[in-house]
Amino acid sequence: MSDSTTAPEARLVQDMIPVELDETGFSTGVEREDIGERIDSPFDPDLIEVQTRNPTVGLLLNRIRRGTIDLAPDFQRRAGIWTLKAQSRLIESLLLRITLPTLYAAEGEDDTWAIVDGIQRLSTIARFVAPEDIDSEPLRLTGLEYLTEFNGYVFTDLPGRLQTRIEETELVVLLIRRGTPEEVKFNIFARINTGGRALTRQELRHALIPGPARAFLADLARSDAFRRATGESVSPERMSDREMCLRFLAFTLTPPDAYASGDFDDFLRKAMHQVNDADSHERDALRERFLKAMDAGSAVFGEHAFRKRFRGTGRRSPVNKALFEAQSVTLSGYTTPEIELLAARRAQVEEGFLGLMEDAAFFNAVSAGTGDIGKVRLRFRLLDEMFREVLSA
């Protein structure tokens, strides 16, 4: 980008911004990111322990009952993705002895399993056989293709032999053992395609790092302040909204000048563990700072908060994750009078930001290789300098 960029050229650049897609192929309202991650050293294959298990449905339900299977119910294909007909057809497959796809799980402490792929399948089986174990209404079969005589049935309506058939059905579980390093687990699961698509990094973090951070991130993403600041344009599908909230927390807990990872995914995983380890007072303080940042973003940038802006076009770009973290964390460090002054001088802020977008180094820092240490520090520094110039004008 440069000062000589014309309005048509700006619109062309804006039109070429790629976006993330949800389950159905529609835009999530978030710019697709080139984070520029790399593996600095190869994994030691001796540290990777993967086992294939063949537990019966009954054994898996016992694990759910005892709390040793973590279904992370709002992860991946959440409630409502599968229709009653689709769930019923899965039960019909069990009755017809049709083999189900492999379940993928990671072993945690105390022999717990976190299901990474297969949550909807396992939840459907539990809803049919033992709905009380997952606090669900019983699944009543509908739309069966072959065993139509069982339409309208719940589990207890089936003949005893068919109940036994389901309970004794063996499922295939690929289990990543507890001793496997966390970064290796993430690398393995990142290679798994589910339903023809790869899991997002935040979906993996949600599945493999249980604890209070899950609900905390969901709470932040559902807040009125976040939705208002992002123009309610960020879809919760694929958990992009929660990842943005996590990025704010990560750079609040570890200031940009102290960011020295280079492995951005590892940086975010560590932040999620930090949130898990925080006490309720610390999380409350983080929540207050986050909400303040969202209100500040709305006040200072209006409908263009956390988005690229181009001179010569008033169109709104998708939310950019790198800008989200840089703008929100930087603004959260200012006093209320300073934020009010920036909001009062919004025209000057806009002009300053347009100037940054025409700076090739800044544009590159929010567009490509965004996890690079130098680019992270540069985008935070230049934004802060721009705000300070407006404040001192």
Side-chain angles (χ1 to χ4, degrees), residues 4 13 26 62 176 267-268 375 380 390:
S4 61
V13 171
F26 289 99
N62 282 338
I176 311 297
F267 176 65
L268 293 183
K375 292 182 178 180
F380 275 91
V390 173

Side-chain angles (χ1 to χ4, degrees), residues 125-136:
I125 293 170
R127 183 186 174 194
F128 184 65
V129 180
E132 65 281 358
D133 292 337
I134 59 170
D135 193 25
S136 171

Side-chain angles (χ1 to χ4, degrees), residues 154-182:
V154 295
F155 181 70
T156 53
D157 294 331
L158 291 175
R161 63 182 178 82
L162 293 183
Q163 293 182 29
T164 299
R165 178 180 297 179
I166 290 177
E167 291 174 333
E168 293 185 350
T169 295
E170 290 186 348
L171 300 179
V172 180
V173 178
L174 187 70
L175 181 68
I176 311 297
R177 296 301 305 277
R178 183 171 58 250
T180 304
E182 184 175 77

Side-chain angles (χ1 to χ4, degrees), residues 304-361:
H304 295 286
F306 320 131
R307 303 165 191 267
K308 290 177 177 175
R309 190 79 190 273
F310 302 97
R311 200 181 301 276
T313 173
R315 291 171 53 191
R316 192 171 67 166
S317 302
V319 171
N320 176 284
K321 292 178 182 177
L323 283 174
F324 178 87
E325 68 200 22
Q327 290 181 358
S328 62
V329 173
T330 302
L331 287 171
S332 74
Y334 292 168
T335 65
T336 298
E338 286 174 327
I339 292 171
E340 290 174 347
L341 183 54
L342 287 171
R345 297 176 174 176
R346 184 191 289 186
Q348 292 168 261
V349 171
E350 179 179 339
E351 182 61 28
F353 184 67
L354 287 171
L356 287 180
M357 289 298 297
E358 291 168 345
D359 181 301

